[in-house]
């Protein structure tokens, strides 16, 4: 039987929840997670990086869905040859 790992630190849980909420377009917008992260002493730079990556993934997913729709229904779409599975954010942050 596999040993269980110790629970994740609450800041990691809040960062993951914030990113997931933003990427999923959750109506709460992760505001309670931002407050929690600040209370745990997580830097604004780290919070901003997570927000940037989550928004980038959300926007990239929407773009790929639009492209798939356009291709399926014959709408002329711009296809990038050799497109990577994940592109960096505008500031150069890696998202995968």
């Amino acid at each position: 039987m596999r040993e269980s790992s110790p629970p994740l630190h609450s800041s990691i849980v809040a960062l993951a929840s914030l990113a997931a909420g933003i990427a999923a377009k959750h109506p709460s917008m992760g505001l309670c997670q931002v407050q929690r992260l600040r209370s745990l002493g997580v830097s604004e730079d780290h919070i901003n990086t997570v927000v940037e990556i989550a928004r980038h993934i959300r926007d990239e997913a929407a773009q790929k869905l639009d492209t798939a729709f356009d291709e399926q229904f014959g709408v002329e779409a711009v296809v990038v040859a050799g497109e990577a599975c994940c592109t960096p954010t505008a500031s150069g942050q890696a998202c995968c």
Side-chain angles (χ1 to χ4, degrees):
M1 185 156 111
R2 196 175 110 176
E3 284 186 42
S4 63
S5 299
L8 290 173
H9 188 272
S10 55
S11 64
I12 294 171
V13 173
L15 284 168
S17 180
L18 172 62
I22 290 170
K25 300 181 187 178
H26 193 281
S28 72
M29 300 178 285
L31 296 177
C32 63
Q33 285 85 7
V34 171
Q35 291 173 343
R36 175 96 173 117
L37 289 163
R38 287 177 176 153
S39 74
L40 291 168
V42 174
S43 74
E44 291 295 318
D45 284 344
H46 286 153
I47 295 169
N48 291 335
T49 297
V50 168
V51 169
E52 179 184 12
I53 291 168
R55 287 177 174 167
H56 177 76
I57 290 170
R58 177 198 63 205
D59 296 345
E60 191 174 64
Q63 182 180 18
K64 287 183 178 194
L65 282 172
D66 288 346
T67 299
F69 177 87
D70 293 346
E71 289 171 354
Q72 182 70 31
F73 292 100
V75 176
E76 191 171 320
V78 176
V79 178
V80 179
E83 182 179 329
C85 68
C86 178
T87 59
T89 66
S91 73
Q93 292 291 329
C95 63
C96 54

